[in-house]
Amino acid sequence: MALECTLAALTNLDQTDPDAVQELLQICTRTLLSPTLWAWALGFTVVCAVIGGLIGATKGRMVAGVVWGIALGPIGWVVIAVSNGNQPACPDCGQTNPTDAKTCRHCGVNLRAASMRTDLASFKRNDSGRGW
């Protein structure tokens, strides 16, 4: 009877027979050190990292997406997908924009000039022309 490295083989193992224990240990060690298994694991990790990076790139957090993808695989994709992005919000419309954007892609305001406005200037702009 050929032994395989399975839970059934482990539960049916006669623990008083040292030769059987040694044989099962060698079979399980060969299985875990198999290059095919490691190639699949490495390939899966790379795919998870790439997909995590792509999801993170949409949030402005590509490196975090890669790290979460490597660490947790598909669960990491969900973590990065529901996390807050690093993309700055437009001071006028509040929508997110890429970090290197010069104008808001939603309302067209100049983001650099708008970010330099003070709270007092925004208050005066919103309150102009109303009087008492």
Side-chain angles (χ1 to χ4, degrees):
M1 178 175 113
L3 281 176
E4 292 183 5
C5 186
T6 62
L7 288 176
L10 185 60
T11 56
N12 295 332
L13 179 67
D14 180 18
Q15 295 180 0
T16 60
D17 183 13
D19 292 332
V21 172
Q22 183 68 27
E23 183 182 1
L24 185 61
L25 179 63
Q26 288 176 350
I27 290 170
C28 288
T29 303
R30 255 185 270 125
T31 302
L32 289 174
L33 296 178
S34 168
T36 306
L37 177 68
W38 283 98
W40 276 101
L42 183 63
F44 182 73
T45 303
V46 168
V47 167
C48 287
V50 169
I51 294 174
L54 292 173
I55 294 171
T58 63
K59 299 278 197 161
R61 302 181 64 200
M62 187 171 79
V63 174
V66 169
V67 170
W68 281 108
I70 288 172
L72 297 177
I75 296 170
W77 304 340
V78 174
V79 169
I80 197 66
V82 299
S83 68
N84 292 332
N86 283 344
Q87 297 176 329
C90 174
D92 282 358
C93 68
Q95 299 292 327
T96 59
N97 290 288
T99 53
D100 57 347
K102 294 178 183 174
T103 60
C104 177
R105 62 181 172 187
H106 302 284
C107 67
V109 71
N110 185 342
L111 292 174
R112 293 178 192 209
S115 67
M116 296 175 92
R117 287 188 218 145
T118 63
D119 292 332
L120 181 60
S122 298
F123 177 72
K124 285 182 179 180
R125 181 174 47 88
N126 292 334
D127 193 38
S128 65
R130 293 195 186 149
W132 287 85

